[in-house]
Each structure stands twice: as structure tokens, then as C-alpha cells.
């Protein structure tokens, strides 16, 4: 398994993703310390049906609905809250 530094991965992301799509696995490092492994997706994981079959998600087949109790927003506009949260 080839070791790839974060900078290398960022600079050549498309190339590395092509290699992973072809079946290769990569070990991502930060200052020579392994932090992640990039591997091809197993067959069946890429689709919702595959995730349901493996028990990772539960889906009844319908269109998603909003929450029964939507989140309440304090006074003001949402954009103002976002700006406030970024401070």
C-alpha cells in the first residue's frame, strides 16, 4: 500500500482517485503519521439498496419528510444567526 502525504493527495487528487477506482488502496499520512486509508468502495455499498441490505440504513421506500418537530429559530433571520456564529 502506497503512502501519500496530505499535500500530495490534495495536489493530485484526481490522479489518486483514478488509482483507487482501479482497485488500489492508499495510506494517507500527515508528517509521516498514518491518519487515514483510502480504499475502493465494496460492491453494494455505493447504492442505497446495498446499504439497506447490509443493515446500515433503514428506508421505507418513500420520499423523506421533514421532522415532526422542526428546529425553532430564535428571533431574526437565519443569515444573521450564521454571521453571529462565525464570530
Amino acid at each position: 500500500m502506497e503512502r501519500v502525504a496530505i499535500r500530495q493527495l490534495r495536489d493530485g487528487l484526481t490522479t489518486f482517485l483514478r488509482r483507487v477506482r482501479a482497485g488500489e488502496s492508499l495510506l494517507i499520512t500527515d508528517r509521516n503519521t498514518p491518519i487515514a486509508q483510502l480504499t475502493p468502495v465494496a460492491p453494494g455499498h455505493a447504492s442505497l439498496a446495498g446499504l439497506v441490505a447490509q443493515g446500515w440504513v433503514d428506508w421505507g421506500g418513500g420520499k423523506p419528510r421533514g421532522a415532526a418537530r422542526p428546529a425553532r429559530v430564535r428571533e431574526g433571520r437565519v443569515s444573521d444567526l450564521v454571521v453571529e456564529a462565525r464570530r
Side-chain angles (χ1 to χ4, degrees), residues 35-79:
I35 59 168
Q37 183 175 341
L38 189 58
T39 60
V41 174
H45 265 82
S47 69
L48 180 58
L51 294 173
V52 170
Q54 293 177 2
W56 286 90
V57 297
D58 185 23
W59 182 51
K63 184 175 180 180
R65 292 174 294 222
R69 293 180 46 196
R72 292 180 48 172
V73 179
R74 292 183 289 166
E75 294 178 22
R77 297 178 301 194
V78 173
S79 59

Side-chain angles (χ1 to χ4, degrees), residues 14 18 20 23-25 28-29 32-33 40 42-43 46 55 66 68 79 83:
T14 303
R18 279 190 198 118
V20 170
E24 189 175 339
S25 294
I28 313 303
T29 62
N32 283 332
T33 302
S79 59
V83 170

